[in-house]
Structures are given as structure tokens and as C-alpha cells.
Amino acid sequence: MGFDEDLAGFRKAARAVAAAGKALDKASKALGAGERDPAAVADVSEKAAAALGGLQGIEAAAAGLSGRLSAIAAEARAELERERALLAGKVASALREQGIEVEGNLPQLRAGALTLEFAFGGKGGCTVWLGPKKARLAACPLEAGAIAAKVSELDSALLGGPFDEAAFLAALLGAFRVALARAGLPDGSRVPLVALLAEVAFARQSAAFLADPRREAFHGYGRVEFACDLSRLAARRVGDREFRLDVATMSQTRRPEDHLWVPRGRSGDGTNYATALFAKVA
């Protein structure tokens, strides 16, 4: 017997339950009357008893339908898991062709320094994060090509494009000196890492912005870009100065203005740093 037959049997039993409920309501009303009519009491009571006697098959009908639905649900769930695994496999394959290794298990995969968080259902999609959900970068539909393209684009923009290490170090040193001056600190002091970010971002602005600082002329350079540039530094020396970062304490990681998470290349790992300095070295 198939699902339709099981459903028809249960519906028949459900109608019998509804009819029995109405019969019981009538019996209750007759029994609660101020002056009982024996004929009416006998009639409604007999009908209610007969209705209840016809419910003997309701448990079997419900159990049969429950078992059938459980089997259908298990089959559909297995199909859904296969579809999800197929999607993840397509994303991983497309990214590996771009030289980006993918690992992990749904609902989260790691693609280099990026994390892919999948959400399935009516409002499903894929959210791309920097590192272990340190910064939200993009949202994609559940389509393998779109996800792979966005991840490849972000990986290239943040960690794979041209990078002038010497120029970046020089910009850091300049930003460090300005940050010291703003804070009134002596040379050799540590400054908050986010203070360096602000100075580096300002130094990147065009002449048009400096002449007329409006939003439309501003060149964005935020925490994500700065953290990724820091992660690409191999050399740390500028003349007799060496750039150093200080690991953040637990309390310093509670507020974004007190720390910055810097990835360790494309490993997916990273470290929270709080302050920085250019120390004099021999």
C-alpha cells in the first residue's frame, strides 16, 4: 500500500474522530442540562458510544502514516545531503583549478585564508569571511560558479595581487611617526595598530580628496586590506628600524579598536595584534 492509500485511511479515521467529538459534545450538553430528558440522554449517549467504538483503527492508521512519512523524510534528507555535498565538491574543484585548496566539512569550508559558510533552506546562501569569521567579505547565492568566482576574486585582490613590500614598509614607518606625533609619544614607543591603519589610509588619499575631502573622492582602505597587506610582509627592516607587532591580550580582543586580526598567509590561521613599533636595531 502506498502513501496515498495510507493518507486516505488516516483521513477516514480523522473524520471518525471529528464525528465522535461532536457526539461527545452533544452527550455532555444533554447530561449537563438542568432537567434531563431521559430519551435525549439515552439517544446521544448511545450515538457517542457508537462513535467512540468506531475509532479502534485510528492508532494503526496513524502509525502506518507516521512510518511512511519517516521513510519519505529520510530519503529526502539523504537526497538533500547529496545535493549539498555535490555543491561543495563543485566549489572545491573550481577553486583548486585556481590554485586555492579547500578543506573542511559543511556547513563551513576553508579556502586558503577565507571561510565559506553555507546556509541552506528558503533563504540559503554562502557567506565569505576572512579567516575564522573575522570579517564578512561577501554573500553569494548557492551556485557553485558564483561562489568560486567570488572567492577567487577576493583571494586575488587581498593576497594575490601585486604588492610593493618596500613601499608598504615605508608607508608604515611614515604612519608610525605621525601616530607618535599625534599621541605626543617619544620615539621608540608603541602605538595602537589601528592608529597605523588610520594614518596609512589617510596617506593613500588622492590630491583631489586632500583638496576637498568629500566621501565620493575617498579611496577606501580598511581593516581587511591592511591586515592582508601586513600578512604579506616578509622583510621587516627599513634602514636601522625593524617593524614589530605585539600580540593582543584577551581583554584587548574585545573591541575592534584595540586589536587587528592578521592572517598568516593563506593558511587560514592568524593572530590578533594590538600594538606596533619600529624598533632601532644594530
Side-chain angles (χ1 to χ4, degrees), residues 223-244:
R223 293 172 67 89
V224 169
E225 292 85 358
F226 186 52
C228 290
D229 283 346
L230 287 173
S231 77
R232 301 176 74 180
L233 280 177
R236 300 289 178 103
R237 292 281 297 268
V238 181
D240 64 345
R241 300 277 181 158
E242 182 178 73
F243 180 64
R244 297 175 182 175

Side-chain angles (χ1 to χ4, degrees), residues 42-176:
D43 182 57
V44 296
S45 296
E46 288 172 353
K47 289 181 179 179
L52 289 171
L55 302 182
Q56 295 177 359
I58 184 65
E59 290 187 5
L65 189 58
S66 175
R68 179 78 64 179
L69 287 170
S70 294
I72 291 172
E75 183 178 347
R77 185 69 61 187
E79 182 180 356
L80 181 60
E81 292 303 318
R82 287 193 296 270
E83 290 178 355
R84 292 174 178 177
L86 182 61
L87 172 66
K90 288 181 177 179
V91 171
S93 178
L95 288 175
R96 288 191 183 107
E97 291 180 359
Q98 302 295 321
I100 302 173
E101 284 301 315
V102 178
E103 53 188 19
N105 299 295
L106 290 175
Q108 288 189 15
L109 300 178
R110 193 169 74 181
L114 307 179
T115 295
L116 314 183
E117 183 183 29
F118 291 82
F120 299 98
K123 295 183 179 180
C126 177
T127 302
V128 184
W129 301 83
L130 175 65
K133 300 178 69 171
K134 293 295 182 177
R136 187 177 185 273
L137 302 179
C140 305
L142 290 176
E143 199 278 311
I147 295 170
K150 178 55 68 176
V151 171
S152 179
E153 173 192 330
L154 289 169
D155 178 85
S156 178
L158 295 174
L159 295 164
F163 181 65
D164 189 333
E165 187 175 47
F168 182 63
L169 265 175
L172 280 177
L173 180 56
F176 175 73

Side-chain angles (χ1 to χ4, degrees), residues 185-209:
L185 296 172
D187 188 19
S189 300
R190 288 172 166 79
V191 299
L193 189 52
V194 292
L196 285 187
L197 164 58
E199 300 301 341
V200 171
F202 188 76
R204 285 172 169 252
Q205 301 312 309
S206 66
F209 176 83

